[in-house]
Amino acid sequence: MVFKETFSPLSSDEIIAKEKANMDDNRFEHCVRVSETARKLAKLNNYDEDKAALAGFVHDYAKQVPVEEYRQVIKDEGFDPDLLNWNRAIWHGIVGTYFIKRDLKITDPEILQAVWRHTTADVEMTTLDKIVFMADYIEPGRSFDGVEEARKITFKNLDEGVGYQLAHTLEFLIENRNKVYPRTLQAYNVWSIKK
Ligand code: GDP
Ligand code: FE
Ligand code: FE
Ligand code: FE
């Protein structure tokens, strides 16, 4: 795997090595598959394939950073203090951008925004935001009920894929009586309602 443009002073090999060192093998393989799926979705949607592949690769860079480190960074680096009421599922996108800037030296705002939004989505989503959000959901290693339909819809129409994922994630969260992050709900209201 090579990223032709790394959007960073680090080389492709250095980024890959840092990512590998920051997570277990299963998570790393997931990131590789998200990268490949993002490349495919980029091609289908006339987006820069290398940029999408890199964004997909780094999207979960900070997924396994220790909770205490997250709490410290949220307090010290100017993140919304309400984030302290959430957990790593929510932090690793939003606050993950801090670690990606710090360790991988990626500063491209579009890549960082796509990582920021990859778990919760948002009311406004760029093409890259949607590509990473959907690649994460439909990469070949995913096996939940409905994943085949999600893939079919997403490869046909990226926006409809976003709506499908948000509706199903919300269903899942409510089914399990989990807390819904307000932005996830706001995104649902934009992307999933029947027109
Ligand atoms: P992953 O990092 O590849 O496992 O995938 P994601 O970053 O998309 O999701 C991480 C977890 O966050 C999933 O289990 C989602 O169900 C969960 N999640 C997404 N939105 C919300 C939300 O609004 N509230 C809560 N509590 N969890 C959420
Ligand atoms: Fe994630
Ligand atoms: Fe996701
Ligand atoms: Fe992921």
Side-chain angles (χ1 to χ4, degrees):
M1 192 177 38
V2 178
F3 302 106
K4 280 188 217 129
E5 253 190 283
T6 61
F7 298 90
S8 158
L10 303 188
S11 69
S12 181
D13 283 352
E14 285 170 320
I15 286 180
I16 293 165
K18 277 186 189 278
E19 173 125 339
K20 203 162 179 41
N22 211 39
M23 59 186 68
D24 64 33
D25 289 353
N26 284 339
R27 181 61 49 183
F28 183 80
E29 292 307 321
H30 164 69
C31 290
V32 172
R33 291 190 300 266
V34 171
S35 177
E36 289 164 353
T37 307
R39 186 180 284 286
K40 212 159 138 183
L41 287 173
K43 195 178 172 69
L44 285 169
N45 292 278
N46 304 307
Y47 191 83
D48 181 338
E49 288 179 50
D50 287 313
K51 189 164 176 175
L54 179 64
F57 182 65
V58 302
H59 83 286
D60 275 343
Y61 173 75
K63 180 95 182 183
Q64 292 170 345
V65 167
V67 168
E68 274 321 302
E69 207 177 331
Y70 265 113
R71 304 193 77 86
Q72 204 57 51
V73 166
I74 290 165
K75 289 180 202 156
D76 293 350
E77 302 296 330
F79 284 96
D80 178 356
D82 174 61
L83 283 166
L84 294 168
N85 300 317
W86 295 85
N87 56 31
R88 252 193 320 198
I90 298 299
W91 295 338
H92 79 281
I94 296 169
V95 190
T97 56
Y98 168 82
F99 296 103
I100 290 171
K101 270 190 274 189
R102 188 191 70 180
D103 301 347
L104 305 182
K105 317 280 182 216
I106 293 172
T107 54
D108 182 274
E110 293 175 7
I111 293 178
L112 295 173
Q113 179 176 274
V115 173
W116 180 291
R117 292 178 170 167
H118 91 263
T119 305
T120 60
D122 210 332
V123 172
E124 283 179 26
M125 303 266 281
T126 64
T127 301
L128 183 61
D129 296 341
K130 295 172 197 167
I131 286 171
V132 175
F133 184 62
M134 291 319 301
D136 186 26
Y137 193 60
I138 64 166
E139 58 96 342
R142 298 287 196 197
S143 60
F144 56 86
D145 277 349
V147 70
E148 271 314 325
E149 198 187 348
R151 289 183 180 122
K152 214 170 94 188
I153 291 170
T154 305
F155 286 127
K156 204 161 80 187
N157 185 310
L158 192 57
D159 284 6
E160 282 176 27
V162 171
Y164 184 93
Q165 178 176 172
L166 279 164
H168 283 258
T169 297
L170 211 62
E171 234 172 75
F172 172 84
L173 292 170
I174 289 168
E175 185 80 35
N176 291 288
R177 297 290 188 274
N178 284 330
K179 215 157 68 156
V180 177
Y181 195 65
R183 205 180 304 273
T184 304
L185 187 56
Q186 289 169 337
Y188 165 81
N189 282 340
V190 169
W191 295 100
S192 302
I193 43 146
K194 291 225 162 76
K195 300 240 170 60

